[in-house]
Amino acid sequence: MGWWGKILDWFNQEPAMPFSLDPEVPPIKVKGKGATGSYSPGAQEEAGTTGESEQGSSKPGILQKVGSFFSRKGKGDEGARGPAPEEPSVAPDLDKNLLTVRRILHTDRNSDVIIREFLLPVGKGIRAAFVFIDGMVNLRAVNADILRPLLDPDFAARLARGLAAGNVEKLFPAAATTLHDSMRKVVTETLMGNLALFVDGLGKALVVDVKGWEKRPISEPVTERVVIGPHEAFAETLKVNITMLRRILRTPDLICELLEVGKVTHTQVAIFHIEHITNPRLVNEVKRRISSIKASYVAESAILDQLIDVPRFWMVPHAVLTERPDRFAGAVAEGYVGIMVDHSPFGLVVPITIADFFSSAEDIYLRPPAPTFLKLIRASGMLATLILPGLYIAAVTFHHEMIPSVLLQAIAASKEGVPTPTPLAVFAGELGFDFIREAGVRVPSPVGPTIGIVGALLIGDAAVRASLLAPVTVIIIAVTAVASFTIPNQDVATLVRIFKYVFIVAGSTFGILGIGLLLYVVGVYLCSLRSFGVPIVAPVIAGGPSARDVVARRAVWKMEHRPRFLRPEGIRRQPPVSRTWTLARPLRPCKRK
Amino acid sequence: MRKPLACTVIFVFCTSTVSLCGCWGRLELQDTAFVVLMGLDAVQSSSGEPLPTSEAGLEVTQAIAISRALPSGRDGGGGRGPAPMVVLPMVAPNLTVAGESIEESVSRRVRTTHVEALIVGEALARQGLEDVLDQTLRYSNLRHTIHVIIAEGSARELITSLAPSIEVGPWTEARKAVQSIQGRVSNQLHLHDLLVSSSSKSKDAMLPMMRTWQEIAVGGGESAARPGRGPAITGVAVFKDATMVGKLDEVEAAHALMLHGSFRRAFMSYPLSASADDGVLSNRNLVGIEWDSVKAQKRVTMIGERAAINVNLDMEGGVMEARGDVDLTSPEGVRRLERQVAQSVRFHCQRVVEKVQREMAGADIFYFGDVLRTTFKTWDEWEKFDWPKRFQEAVVTINVTVHLRRPGLTLQNPWKLH
Amino acid sequence: MSPSTHNLGYTETVALLAAYTGSKVFTSCPSQLVYLSSTSAWITAMLSVIPAALGVIAIYRFVDRFDGITFQRCVELTIGKPLGKMVGLGFLSLILGMDAIALREFSAGFKSAILPETPLNAIIVLGEAVTAYTATLGLEPLGRFIAIAFLPLSILLLAIVFGAFHMELSIAELFPLWGTGAEHTVLGSVQCSSLYADIFAFALLVPYVREEKAGQRLHAGLVSLGLSGLAMAIAIAVGMMSFTAPTLAQMLFPVLQLARLFLSGIFLERIEAIFVFAWLFFGSIKVAFGHWLAASLAADIIGVKRWTAFVWPSAVITYFLAIQPENLTDLFVFQVTVLRSVGWLVAYVLPAVLLGIAGLRGIGSK
């Protein structure tokens, strides 16, 4: 195929379908050619590297080629070691096994790998050894529940019988024991804090759960503090987090599926959903994306978040990041899919919608209309952060005619004698504020607030006194700064702070036209985003009562539907009359006879 | 990767165009001077005769706000220091040239976007404003919502007298001076009204007239030491299309507004006839009335070629002052007073209509034409009908009903009780 | 290109079409109507909806005969490929031309209203770049954006016009009711239905409307037409009431002039900044949707699937068309004379003829 053919091919490629939660898109009859273009998930997987490439945005062929090019190149450095040509399996010979383990775990250099060889006191003695990583296991449990019984002749005798009968895993007084014959699996389990027991002649390894490392206890949430509601946050340990969820959602339908991600980290990822509520297409898509990740380092939810988004999402968060079990559980109960990553105190909730940019954990605990009001405040805070500096520049440098005369009188007077051009002044002011903010985060906490006060008060006041900034400019910067703190979602807040500068540039070049056009582009761009098949503007545009709840929350007993844009299997959250006591006959005072 | 690429292309394009071409039209407030009041006069010959604008050009007076003297938060209140306006008169062939050449005498760019009032000298107004105002309508800088005031005498003199004395800022001062007129002598204050009235055949404009007068020193301190000259409303200028054709004094203007139907609250005094029906008015009996509501019902019918206009005025008010033989203690007395006042109002109204019909080329400031044109079917018929001409011959009948709802806080003057 | 996305809901369709057709109120179109039919212009604006609605029904019947394929394929199946492609080119040039006119008028409006010192070329290029970029994002985002923005913006505009208008609205200025005569008004409304020729976009949009909403497709087309008719009538009526018909007929941006009249109290004045945003959003959506229409039609005519490849070329063509008129008077007169007399023939009569041919030849499933 020549270059002309390639061009023709490019022109003739059908733009890929976006992933959709809709149950099915009916096939389209195309007359004449007889071709049918119907959608199926399988076809999509073939088509591209991303499941969600939108109309016209994907070039599967090219992308595939580029992808395969990189994967070829990356083979050398993708993991700790290249995949062995054959998966080593557990041999009957103990020495051989230990040699393999030593080789894989680099025991000549890894000093925390403990290999303890001993003799089972049966007959002449059977050679055995266990392997664990120091510090990751509960040593007391190892000594009391494993080593001591093994060295006890009675237990050893039973074990020998068990070895012969093939039910050795049932003999140990530990909660979870499994038999593995893949050496790689055994080593991975060891690295997770389990103990691997090799017995000469068994041909399998027994993995006993004796995990016990130092961990942070459950503490109060740091980023999502609330006044009303529970005060516990996720911890770093996946098991603890799963427990916390199970304690809230005590339904047998809560499914927690574990996947493993990361060539180096082998991180466990738990995917939560509720059977018969969550759309299975959504669950499958989440699983598909996570299981197909080929990255080497995935140790945190935030990293996973970036790995499961689509190209068009490169700036906007793709999942809600929360450290509150109640919020996480609430979302899962609504039909969202929750993702927990081991060693991360943050859970991911997908898909994200624009309402999540403005919602905080507390919203559900407040009585309406407070949540709606607060969301409005946050939304206007976001808008103010985004466009206020730009709008101010546009108004005072381009469109004097748009400022009311009496206001102009005040602004003009305050800007008198200030030599700094307004765009520069605003830009510098905003930059200065971002300095202060970043400095406040970096410096030790006792000094932090001081930095803020010194920076904001002293520098601002001094700049006004030195006629470097007009008081109005300082007000604008201060309002923007305060407004930027109203955005609950950290990712969005950062994004808005960055885009604020783009609006400043637009406002100082094309005035209000620039700002309007940029706002239009941002609007259409946001409308083009789909998070796991759900347009992120869905709550605003989708019809039905459920969508309204996301934007303007009603009383809890009035919210009868789950968000329809998730296409949940069970749309109804509660019966039309959830407070059945209202149906009962009202109590009347007894009539005295 | 196409989207980032596209964004980068757009970004590079925007920044490069801007950096290559500069930011068009960007103007800092510090480099701008705002015209607050703009005065237009006809140039006078050596003998004091106004010359036509097409030959001699215009005398343009611009009052520019001085930003550094404006009240700001920094010093806390203004009022001290130099006067916050500087008045710059000049003669120019037209407004555009005036706008250009004023920048030669001012160090800043001069903007007319915040002109509060356009003050036109009477002589110029009588020459016609069509051509003079073309720029104000064509160029987006001058808004249609600016006030238009006709100066009795020269606009330049009036502008000088409008320098702020009570209010701290020039805009607030000019605005409040103008807004006090609204609904009392004229309801048409804006350039837009002039535009509408001059382009519509069924109505004409009456714009407020002001002149300068000696200001009474109010309060103590510096301002008391130097009594200045202040503005005063003298009445309205009646326009036919865009040319001034005559003027009405304050009382006449108020009654014209009543007939028009847009009269709002005002305090007015009426001399009464000695007896109920003898028709001779005298100042010995006088009643001051604050009108609360004046409703005008207009009906226009054609009797042959002549238009018969019938106006019913339904007026409500309270007595604020009663002098002479005025009896408010009995219902009969009130009825009598109501009849007397109605007669007086009708007399005034009749006089205004006749004056306009006779002396002012039938300028329809009462909007009778608006009532009539609803009966026409097509534009051509209406054009041919030529209302302005017919209005001059129209017969106007006015019926007035007066309701005096409140006698004030007392029924009778206490000093007169004995 | 086969329409593979059926994600345009009812609201999006209505909003998109209404914005595309109705955003003409921001240009000189209201003035043109007053210029043509004097004080009865607002009646004409409403009456013109009727012939346009017949056109919409014809368009819908024609496209509906063929289930779910694009308009261009329908045309080609009806009258054969070579002729069909020529007709398609005709439609393409109509779309490009109207897009260019909109771009030019909106840009010129911005220049004279808010950025008098910025070169017109810069504004056109900027608008072109922005709209073409958003057009490449696809039909769905455009529809979603305008569906969200449509209602608040419309309410805002109505509030500016009616709720908070300080200037006197003189009802007498609407009279004489039949400005150029009742007969002329009614007959002229057929020609003036060219005003809504943009509703032709409906033909290209039909296959993209979601299947479950299929029954509501025609409804969406008619409702959006009605909305734009209503917007036009309100704009003209309010314009006449505050400016008088003779003045309005000469105005290039009557709605902007209306917004500049806003004056309420001592502080709430000069709020055209808010209005400018509404103007910008509607204008941008109009031009961007025009790009999308042109690109998808071009892809159909050539017979390739990747329509995004044609967005930027169509933007470039539109740009060169937009800078063609030497001044706004030329554009004004061109619209009043040429477009008014030709627009309705191309937009309504041609689809009706196609429908007739398809019916006679028995092509199509229904």
Side-chain angles (χ1 to χ4, degrees):
Chain A
M1 188 161 61
W3 58 272
W4 178 242
K6 275 182 191 166
I7 291 175
L8 274 186
D9 197 36
W10 184 76
F11 268 105
N12 269 318
Q13 260 160 16
E14 180 97 41
M17 277 285 296
F19 171 72
S20 167
L21 288 184
D22 291 334
E24 62 173 43
V25 179
I28 299 141
K29 282 169 253 162
V30 180
K31 291 209 169 169
K33 274 186 185 169
T36 54
S38 72
Y39 167 72
S40 73
Q44 195 178 14
E45 271 177 58
E46 287 166 24
T49 48
T50 62
E52 208 189 330
S53 39
E54 299 265 357
Q55 266 191 2
S57 69
S58 77
K59 282 173 271 182
I62 291 173
L63 275 185
Q64 229 167 12
K65 276 175 204 160
V66 174
S68 61
F69 172 74
F70 277 116
S71 65
R72 233 181 295 136
K73 194 186 176 189
K75 258 174 195 168
D77 48 28
E78 64 176 357
R81 50 187 298 118
E86 260 178 63
E87 280 283 300
S89 56
V90 181
D93 182 17
L94 178 68
D95 287 330
K96 199 176 169 189
N97 284 340
L98 290 183
L99 201 67
T100 319
V101 169
R102 284 197 171 99
R103 187 172 54 82
I104 296 177
L105 285 175
H106 307 283
T107 46
D108 49 339
R109 282 166 288 167
N110 268 336
S111 48
D112 58 342
V113 179
I114 310 287
I115 299 179
R116 167 79 152 82
E117 289 184 59
F118 54 94
L119 274 177
L120 290 176
V122 182
K124 280 195 276 178
I126 303 173
R127 288 183 62 225
F130 56 68
V131 184
F132 63 89
I133 314 276
D134 195 15
M136 290 188 76
V137 296
N138 184 347
L139 271 182
R140 189 169 294 168
V142 171
N143 285 334
D145 303 340
I146 301 187
L147 198 53
R148 186 169 299 161
L150 283 175
L151 296 178
D152 177 39
D154 292 348
F155 183 80
R158 266 189 285 144
L159 190 69
R161 283 199 296 277
L163 284 175
N167 60 354
V168 67
E169 75 271 19
K170 290 172 185 159
L171 297 171
F172 276 89
T177 52
T178 37
L179 273 175
H180 288 291
D181 51 6
S182 156
M183 190 55 101
R184 183 153 292 279
K185 186 73 191 161
V186 171
V187 169
T188 313
E189 291 283 332
T190 314
L191 288 171
M192 281 178 184
N194 293 333
L195 176 141
L197 175 70
F198 296 94
V199 181
D200 198 18
L202 179 60
K204 280 180 182 175
L206 185 71
V207 174
V208 188
D209 187 354
V210 284
K211 289 190 196 90
W213 54 79
E214 288 305 316
K215 58 194 173 203
R216 191 169 64 95
I218 296 171
S219 56
E220 281 210 27
V222 182
T223 55
E224 293 172 279
R225 282 215 183 112
V226 295
V227 179
I228 309 165
H231 289 274
E232 58 175 20
F234 283 130
E236 275 80 0
T237 321
L238 184 60
K239 262 197 181 154
V240 176
N241 294 346
I242 294 176
T243 321
M244 286 162 90
L245 279 175
R246 286 271 182 206
R247 268 173 50 217
I248 301 174
L249 300 169
R250 290 174 188 161
T251 162
D253 286 344
L254 174 65
I255 311 289
C256 166
E257 288 177 75
L258 288 178
L259 296 175
E260 204 181 274
V261 190
K263 279 271 175 340
V264 174
T265 52
H266 291 283
T267 314
Q268 279 193 315
V269 175
I271 300 168
F272 295 92
H273 69 275
I274 296 183
E275 195 79 5
H276 308 308
I277 291 180
T278 318
N279 187 334
R281 285 173 67 91
L282 176 62
V283 182
N284 290 337
E285 177 67 15
V286 172
K287 281 197 282 189
R288 191 180 73 82
R289 286 198 197 171
I290 292 179
S291 53
S292 59
I293 289 172
K294 298 277 185 252
S296 62
Y297 184 79
V298 188
E300 231 291 0
S301 324
I303 297 176
L304 187 71
D305 180 21
Q306 295 175 43
L307 287 168
I308 55 174
D309 70 4
V310 287
R312 196 176 277 181
F313 253 103
W314 59 292
M315 291 185 285
V316 184
H318 193 232
V320 184
L321 215 61
T322 177
E323 56 169 344
R324 297 185 58 88
D326 53 333
R327 193 177 180 194
F328 192 90
V332 172
E334 286 287 272
Y336 289 85
V337 170
I339 304 167
M340 288 290 328
V341 179
D342 195 13
H343 208 265
S344 165
F346 285 93
L348 297 174
V349 175
V350 291
I352 200 172
T353 61
I354 202 158
D356 296 315
F357 293 0
F358 311 116
S359 62
S360 99
E362 207 170 16
D363 284 352
I364 189 74
Y365 304 122
L366 298 175
R367 260 173 190 280
T372 316
F373 172 72
L374 291 178
K375 273 183 194 179
L376 269 178
I377 292 284
R378 292 178 201 132
S380 29
M382 178 168 156
L383 201 64
T385 316
L386 204 57
I387 66 171
L388 191 63
L391 210 56
Y392 167 68
I393 295 173
V396 299
T397 57
F398 282 97
H399 315 296
H400 304 150
E401 76 276 7
M402 286 183 187
I403 311 174
S405 302
V406 279
L407 182 63
L408 183 89
Q409 184 174 299
I411 296 177
S414 85
K415 284 179 76 73
E416 205 52 33
V418 178
T420 334
T422 314
L424 184 65
V426 174
F427 194 82
E430 293 291 347
L431 209 60
F433 168 70
D434 279 341
F435 285 160
I436 293 171
R437 183 172 171 144
E438 197 56 24
V441 177
R442 296 282 159 259
V443 297
S445 54
V447 197
T450 327
I451 293 273
I453 294 165
V454 170
L457 281 181
L458 289 186
I459 299 179
D461 192 49
V464 170
R465 277 173 191 281
S467 284
L468 290 177
L469 293 181
V472 193
T473 314
V474 175
I475 293 173
I476 294 292
I477 293 163
V479 170
T480 316
V482 172
S484 73
F485 286 113
T486 59
I487 309 167
N489 190 318
Q490 287 304 309
D491 282 340
V492 178
T494 318
L495 187 68
V496 166
R497 271 165 59 205
I498 296 167
F499 255 79
K500 172 178 76 183
Y501 292 104
V502 185
F503 273 91
I504 289 177
V505 171
S508 41
T509 48
F510 281 94
I512 209 163
L513 176 77
I515 290 179
L517 283 180
L518 194 57
L519 216 53
Y520 160 77
V521 171
V522 169
V524 178
Y525 171 75
L526 279 180
C527 287
S528 76
L529 296 182
R530 274 165 172 266
S531 166
F532 288 91
V534 176
I536 68 163
V537 291
V540 191
I541 191 169
S546 55
R548 274 209 303 275
D549 291 339
V550 184
V551 181
R553 198 175 72 73
R554 293 178 294 170
V556 171
W557 53 272
K558 276 187 190 164
M559 299 196 300
E560 277 147 15
H561 296 91
R562 301 200 168 87
R564 204 171 67 175
F565 50 80
L566 294 176
R567 304 271 184 275
E569 289 201 322
I571 182 84
R572 246 188 193 287
R573 188 186 277 152
Q574 57 205 17
V577 180
S578 53
R579 303 183 302 169
T580 43
W581 58 265
T582 52
L583 293 177
R585 279 176 56 188
L587 290 174
R588 286 192 188 135
C590 295
K591 277 181 189 167
R592 273 188 205 147
K593 284 178 184 173
Chain B
M1 288 306 286
R2 273 189 59 223
K3 296 299 160 261
L5 191 72
C7 284
T8 318
V9 167
I10 291 173
F11 181 74
V12 168
F13 169 77
C14 290
T15 44
S16 60
T17 27
V18 166
S19 54
L20 288 175
C21 313
C23 307
W24 305 280
R26 197 172 71 78
L27 187 61
E28 290 284 345
L29 277 181
Q30 297 98 299
D31 307 327
T32 322
F34 290 99
V35 179
V36 182
L37 298 166
M38 192 183 256
L40 302 175
D41 278 311
V43 178
Q44 289 185 340
S45 66
S46 49
S47 59
E49 284 292 306
L51 297 170
T53 47
S54 51
E55 290 169 19
L58 281 169
E59 191 183 330
V60 182
T61 315
Q62 302 184 62
I64 295 172
I66 304 169
S67 296
R68 83 190 127 80
L70 289 176
S72 76
R74 261 191 263 183
D75 314 322
R80 284 164 194 281
M85 286 204 289
V86 59
V87 179
L88 294 171
M90 65 172 60
V91 175
N94 54 42
L95 267 180
T96 321
V97 175
E100 285 294 313
S101 48
I102 194 167
E103 294 193 351
E104 292 162 12
S105 46
V106 179
S107 58
R108 300 182 172 195
R109 297 289 299 279
V110 177
R111 283 278 175 270
T112 52
T113 48
H114 281 265
V115 170
E116 190 62 41
L118 189 68
I119 297 169
V120 183
E122 190 183 335
L124 182 65
R126 285 191 185 273
Q127 284 187 24
L129 295 173
E130 296 93 342
D131 294 333
V132 175
L133 292 183
D134 179 73
Q135 193 222 356
T136 64
L137 300 176
R138 199 179 289 279
Y139 191 45
S140 68
N141 266 0
L142 269 171
R143 305 173 76 87
H144 287 194
T145 50
I146 61 176
H147 298 112
V148 179
I149 298 166
I150 308 300
E152 207 174 288
S154 84
R156 181 179 163 183
E157 205 179 329
L158 187 63
I159 285 183
T160 322
S161 75
L162 271 172
S165 51
I166 303 170
E167 295 292 337
V168 281
W171 277 284
T172 15
E173 173 74 22
R175 180 171 301 190
K176 289 197 174 161
V178 170
Q179 279 181 343
S180 67
I181 310 166
Q182 194 160 16
R184 191 155 63 89
V185 288
S186 171
N187 201 26
Q188 296 164 336
L189 307 171
H190 301 107
L191 185 58
H192 177 74
D193 298 312
L194 186 61
L195 166 75
V196 169
S197 310
S198 55
S199 62
S200 172
K201 284 205 164 182
S202 58
K203 58 186 103 175
D204 287 294
M206 51 178 189
L207 295 169
M209 280 194 95
M210 284 175 127
R211 68 174 170 81
T212 42
W213 67 307
Q214 202 70 25
E215 191 186 13
I216 306 159
V218 183
E222 275 179 56
S223 63
R226 43 174 182 87
R229 289 153 70 79
I233 299 152
T234 55
V236 293
V238 175
F239 276 75
K240 176 112 171 53
D241 297 336
T243 312
M244 180 174 164
V245 286
K247 51 185 164 185
L248 302 174
D249 66 21
E250 262 187 276
V251 177
E252 289 168 334
H255 288 89
L257 270 191
M258 287 177 188
L259 288 171
H260 175 243
S262 59
F263 184 82
R264 297 212 194 142
R265 269 174 100 89
F267 178 82
M268 302 194 77
S269 59
Y270 292 97
L272 304 174
S273 51
S275 69
D277 303 309
D278 68 351
V280 183
L281 302 173
S282 79
N283 266 336
R284 200 176 66 80
N285 293 336
L286 186 137
V287 64
I289 294 171
E290 184 175 29
W291 295 116
D292 292 330
S293 106
V294 177
K295 286 177 192 141
Q297 207 183 10
K298 291 177 256 186
R299 218 175 42 237
V300 184
T301 43
M302 293 301 297
I303 303 169
E305 287 294 292
R306 280 187 96 179
I309 301 165
N310 196 334
V311 188
N312 287 325
L313 285 179
D314 189 16
M315 309 172 72
E316 278 182 41
V319 178
M320 293 292 122
E321 186 190 358
R323 195 197 296 173
D325 184 21
V326 177
D327 175 25
L328 285 166
T329 52
S330 67
E332 293 78 33
V334 176
R335 301 277 174 280
R336 195 169 71 103
L337 183 63
E338 283 177 350
R339 279 200 302 280
Q340 284 175 315
V341 173
Q343 198 184 22
S344 190
V345 170
R346 197 164 66 90
F347 171 76
H348 278 109
C349 290
Q350 205 85 46
R351 214 178 55 182
V352 171
V353 173
E354 278 165 24
K355 186 174 176 183
V356 170
Q357 278 179 317
R358 249 185 301 110
E359 296 172 17
M360 300 175 194
D364 185 3
I365 54 174
F366 315 102
Y367 289 24
F368 294 138
D370 268 4
V371 182
L372 191 64
R373 71 187 274 184
T374 54
T375 59
F376 282 80
K377 289 219 163 47
T378 65
W379 187 258
D380 287 346
E381 287 174 30
W382 169 245
E383 290 270 292
K384 273 186 210 142
F385 181 67
D386 196 12
W387 169 247
K389 202 173 170 192
R390 297 200 185 219
F391 175 55
Q392 282 178 290
E393 302 152 9
V395 185
V396 182
T397 329
I398 300 161
N399 305 315
V400 184
T401 323
V402 171
H403 304 282
L404 296 174
R405 302 288 187 205
R406 293 168 287 124
L409 291 179
T410 175
L411 287 176
Q412 187 61 273
N413 184 344
W415 292 279
K416 278 188 171 179
L417 284 174
H418 306 292
Chain C
M1 180 185 66
S2 68
S4 49
T5 46
H6 280 251
N7 283 318
L8 216 55
Y10 177 79
T11 329
E12 282 107 320
T13 315
V14 170
L16 204 50
L17 278 176
Y20 186 63
T21 318
S23 60
K24 280 191 166 180
V25 293
F26 296 109
T27 62
S28 58
C29 280
S31 310
Q32 291 164 25
L33 263 189
V34 180
Y35 184 84
L36 286 173
S37 48
S38 168
T39 43
S40 61
W42 63 285
I43 302 177
T44 311
M46 294 224 267
L47 285 180
S48 310
V49 170
I50 297 168
L54 294 176
V56 168
I57 293 172
I59 290 170
Y60 178 72
R61 288 265 169 271
F62 175 62
V63 183
D64 195 44
R65 291 178 72 86
F66 309 86
D67 204 13
I69 58 171
T70 57
F71 180 72
Q72 180 58 28
R73 294 290 312 283
C74 302
V75 175
E76 285 176 18
L77 285 177
T78 310
I79 52 174
K81 265 201 171 177
L83 202 57
K85 286 201 192 297
M86 282 173 68
V87 171
L89 279 176
F91 284 132
L92 182 63
S93 41
L94 180 75
I95 289 172
L96 283 174
M98 290 198 294
D99 211 20
I101 288 173
L103 183 68
R104 174 64 186 263
E105 284 216 52
F106 274 102
S107 306
F110 283 122
K111 178 170 166 61
S112 39
I114 57 173
L115 289 172
E117 286 173 46
T118 310
L120 181 64
N121 220 355
I123 298 179
I124 296 183
V125 170
L126 181 71
E128 196 68 280
V130 162
T131 49
Y133 167 68
T134 47
T136 55
L137 292 178
L139 179 63
E140 214 180 306
L142 290 179
R144 251 182 246 146
F145 176 77
I146 195 64
I148 294 168
F150 190 75
L151 197 62
L153 289 183
S154 310
I155 291 174
L156 188 84
L157 289 176
L158 282 180
I160 289 180
V161 169
F162 286 117
F165 206 75
H166 176 78
M167 293 289 159
E168 196 182 339
L169 291 179
S170 166
I171 293 182
E173 292 301 330
L174 293 181
F175 294 93
L177 199 59
W178 304 99
T180 44
E183 203 177 320
H184 184 265
T185 305
V186 173
L187 291 179
S189 68
V190 175
Q191 207 190 43
C192 283
S193 65
S194 306
L195 190 69
Y196 307 113
D198 306 55
I199 199 75
F200 171 73
F202 182 59
L204 278 76
L205 209 58
V206 168
Y208 295 89
V209 182
R210 206 176 284 160
E211 282 284 301
E212 65 206 66
K213 309 278 184 190
Q216 296 175 344
R217 285 168 172 172
L218 179 60
H219 195 254
L222 292 176
V223 165
S224 52
L225 183 65
L227 281 178
S228 31
L230 197 65
M232 192 64 82
I234 290 177
I236 293 173
V238 176
M240 282 198 311
M241 283 196 283
S242 51
F243 287 115
T244 74
T247 319
L248 187 67
Q250 308 300 327
M251 280 185 169
L252 286 175
F253 305 103
V255 179
L256 175 74
Q257 295 280 47
L258 266 180
R260 282 166 60 84
L261 280 183
F262 183 87
L263 178 78
S264 171
I266 198 158
F267 196 77
L268 270 182
E269 54 172 339
R270 301 168 179 262
I271 54 156
E272 70 253 32
I274 302 171
F275 169 79
V276 164
F277 279 110
W279 196 19
L280 249 174
F281 286 163
F282 278 121
S284 311
I285 278 289
K286 182 173 170 67
V287 179
F289 185 48
H291 288 332
W292 180 86
L293 289 172
S296 67
L297 189 59
D300 276 352
I301 292 171
I302 297 174
V304 294
K305 288 170 184 163
R306 189 175 288 278
W307 59 271
T308 39
F310 297 91
V311 171
W312 289 96
S314 90
V316 172
I317 295 172
T318 319
Y319 167 72
F320 282 109
L321 286 177
I323 56 171
Q324 282 312 309
E326 295 214 351
N327 53 45
L328 279 180
T329 313
D330 282 4
L331 197 62
F332 191 90
V333 173
F334 174 76
Q335 288 192 65
V336 169
T337 52
V338 181
L339 272 192
R340 286 294 158 270
S341 44
V342 178
W344 66 285
L345 288 174
V346 181
Y348 314 128
V349 177
L350 202 53
V353 170
L354 286 170
L355 174 67
I357 294 174
L360 285 176
R361 291 179 60 187
I363 302 168
S365 58
K366 291 173 190 171

